[in-house]
Amino acid sequence: MIVRRPVPEGATLRSPAELVAHGLAPASELAVLNQVASRYAVAVSAAVAELIDPTDPNDPIARQYIPSARELEISAVERSDPIGDHAHSPVAGIVHRHADRALFKLVGVCAVYCRFCFRREMVGPGKDSALSPQAYRAAIDYIASHPEIWEVILTGGDPLMLSPRRLAEVMADLAAIDHVKIVRIHSRVPVADPARISAELVEALQPKGAAVWMAVHANHPRELSASARQACARLADAGIALVSQSVLLRGVNDDLDTLAALMRAFVECRIKPYYLHHGDLAHGTAHLRTTLAEGRELMRQLRGKLSGLCQPEYVLDIPGGYGKAPVGPDYLHMQDRAGSMRYQVADHGGELHAYPPEPEQQDEPGSAAVQSSAA
C-alpha cells in the first residue's frame, strides 16, 4: 500500500526518490523513473502534490506531473523543438514568428515540469536558467528596434519564477518602448505555487505605459483549487486581464464533463478561455496525445453544452514553426442547388440548415387566409 507523506509548504520534490518517499510514485519503478529524470526535468510543488490522489493509478493530476516510463518511448514524428522556436530566434531569448508579437524567454526554469511540455528539451536544471545581462540587453534592443512588435509575450520556463524586483524591472523596460502596448505573461505559477502570487509580485506586474494580460495554464478543474482561485483573484482585482491556456491530454481532460468543468472553472475565476492546444509532437509524449478527430468532436460537443464565455479555440501549432492554426469542427458548408451555391450551417448537433433560408410563403392579396385574418 502506498503511504502518502505531506510535502512541507513551499518545498518542491525534484527527484524520483523524493516522489517515492512521499508516496507519489511506486518504489518498484524507481530505476526507470531515474532514467526519465536523467533526460527530462522533474519538479512537483507542495501545492500540486496536495492535489494528487496516490491511490488512483489514473489520477489526472499525477498524469501531468509525475514521470512515466512511457516518456522513454520516442516516435519517429516527435521532435526536440516541435514548434520551431530555434528557426525563428534572431537573438537569444527572442522568438519572432509573427510580425506584431514576439516571445521573450527570460528564464529556463519552472515551478513544476509538465510531462507533455513542448520545451522539455530546453528547460530545467542544466539548461540555460536565465539570460545573461548582455543577452537580456540584446533582446530588449531587438524589441525596441522592431516597431512592428505591438505585443511581447513573456514565457520560458516560467517568467513568474523571477523575483518581484526583477519582474518590475523587466516590465518597466518593456513599457518604456513606445510601440510595445501589450505585455502578455504565460504561467503555471497561479496553479502550481499560488502563494508566490504575492501583493509585491502583483504590483510588479502593473507597469505604466502597457496593458498586462496573463495566460493561466491549467488542464483539470481540480488544479483550480481554493488557493489557486485566490491567487487568480488577486491578479484580476489588480486589473490584470486573465485568459486561459490548456492542453488536450489523454486521461486528463479528454472527456466532455471534465473539459466542461475546467472551462466553467476558468470563467468563475474571471479567466476567459483562450487556447485549447492539441498536444505537440514533443519527445516521449505520445501516450498523452489525443487524435485531432477526438479533439474536434469534443469541441463540437462543448459548443452545444456551454455558454459562449466558456468556449476556447482548439489550435494546433504546426510543426516546423509555422504558427498556430484553428482546427475545431467545421460548421459552414457549401451546397450546389440547381447551379446556385448556398451555405449549409451545422448546429451543435450536426444538423444542417440552409442559409439564407428558403423565402417564407407569402399569401396573395384577396386569398382566403388574408380575408380570414382581416375578419
Side-chain angles (χ1 to χ4, degrees), residues 337 342-344 353-360:
R337 299 188 63 183
R342 299 185 63 197
Y343 289 111
Q344 293 283 307
H353 306 269
Y355 185 85
E358 297 286 352
E360 291 187 353

Side-chain angles (χ1 to χ4, degrees), residues 284-346:
T285 61
H287 60 293
L288 293 170
R289 282 196 301 277
T290 64
T291 66
L292 281 168
E294 290 167 331
R296 285 162 61 87
E297 176 58 20
L298 278 170
M299 288 302 299
R300 187 187 67 77
Q301 294 176 26
L302 205 66
R303 173 62 61 182
K305 185 179 181 72
L306 297 185
S307 159
L309 287 174
C310 300
Q311 304 292 331
E313 185 166 43
Y314 183 39
V315 294
L316 169 69
D317 231 317
I318 304 170
Y322 300 99
K324 296 179 183 65
V327 289
D330 300 318
Y331 294 97
L332 195 61
H333 310 273
M334 293 296 293
Q335 183 182 53
D336 186 349
R337 299 188 63 183
S340 175
M341 298 301 293
R342 299 185 63 197
Y343 289 111
Q344 293 283 307
V345 185

Side-chain angles (χ1 to χ4, degrees), residues 162-352:
L162 293 172
S163 69
R165 178 193 60 79
R166 183 62 181 134
L167 276 170
E169 293 172 351
V170 172
M171 299 297 279
D173 285 345
L174 292 171
I177 301 171
D178 286 344
H179 55 266
V180 173
K181 303 301 183 184
I182 306 293
V183 179
R184 191 196 330 164
I185 301 161
H186 282 225
S187 182
R188 265 291 214 181
V189 165
V191 165
D193 191 5
R196 197 175 183 91
I197 308 298
S198 63
E200 186 182 9
L201 184 141
V202 172
E203 184 179 359
L205 300 179
Q206 301 178 74
K208 290 182 174 62
V212 178
W213 291 67
M214 183 176 293
V216 178
H217 182 170
N219 300 310
H220 192 276
R222 270 170 40 204
E223 292 182 279
L224 290 166
S225 63
S227 56
R229 288 174 183 244
Q230 290 165 7
C232 292
R234 288 193 287 274
L235 294 163
D237 288 347
I240 296 171
L242 303 177
V243 296
S244 78
Q245 63 170 356
S246 304
V247 182
L248 186 60
L249 297 168
R250 188 171 301 285
V252 175
N253 56 17
D254 61 333
D255 64 276
L256 180 60
D257 288 344
T258 301
L259 198 59
L262 173 63
M263 296 304 150
R264 282 177 169 158
F266 279 136
V267 173
E268 290 165 7
C269 293
R270 291 177 282 173
I271 301 170
K272 175 64 182 80
Y274 181 36
Y275 278 150
L276 176 64
H277 296 268
H278 187 72
D280 292 308
L281 297 175
H283 283 160
T285 61
H287 60 293
L288 293 170
R289 282 196 301 277
T290 64
T291 66
L292 281 168
E294 290 167 331
R296 285 162 61 87
E297 176 58 20
L298 278 170
M299 288 302 299
R300 187 187 67 77
Q301 294 176 26
L302 205 66
R303 173 62 61 182
K305 185 179 181 72
L306 297 185
S307 159
L309 287 174
C310 300
Q311 304 292 331
E313 185 166 43
Y314 183 39
V315 294
L316 169 69
D317 231 317
I318 304 170
Y322 300 99
K324 296 179 183 65
V327 289
D330 300 318
Y331 294 97
L332 195 61
H333 310 273
M334 293 296 293
Q335 183 182 53
D336 186 349
R337 299 188 63 183
S340 175
M341 298 301 293
R342 299 185 63 197
Y343 289 111
Q344 293 283 307
V345 185
D347 61 27
H348 63 265
E351 185 177 349
L352 295 177

Side-chain angles (χ1 to χ4, degrees), residues 111-154:
V112 291
Y113 292 105
C114 305
R115 309 323 303 167
F116 51 86
C117 179
F118 67 93
R119 291 197 179 113
R120 62 193 328 220
E121 304 275 9
M122 311 172 200
V123 299
K127 311 296 193 300
D128 292 335
S129 60
L131 292 177
S132 68
Q134 295 81 7
Y136 173 81
R137 181 44 52 189
I140 290 290
D141 289 346
Y142 178 88
I143 295 168
S145 66
H146 285 74
E148 72 274 21
I149 297 177
W150 170 78
E151 178 184 26
V152 175
I153 302 164
L154 303 185

Side-chain angles (χ1 to χ4, degrees), residues 9-94:
E9 185 176 350
T12 299
L13 308 180
R14 299 188 180 278
S15 71
E18 290 181 311
L19 297 177
V20 169
H22 284 82
L24 298 175
S28 60
E29 294 185 11
L30 181 57
V32 70
L33 295 186
N34 279 330
Q35 293 181 50
V36 176
S38 69
R39 177 163 184 170
Y40 308 118
V42 172
V44 178
S45 65
V48 165
E50 181 65 25
L51 299 176
I52 294 173
D53 179 0
T55 66
D56 180 1
N58 299 310
D59 181 74
I61 309 300
R63 195 164 169 81
Q64 296 182 64
Y65 300 101
I66 304 300
S68 162
R70 296 198 64 183
E71 294 176 54
L72 299 175
E73 302 169 8
I74 298 176
S75 75
V77 298
E78 292 177 338
R79 304 180 177 197
S80 60
D81 181 16
I83 69 168
D85 276 358
H86 293 320
H88 296 276
S89 183
V91 298
I94 296 292

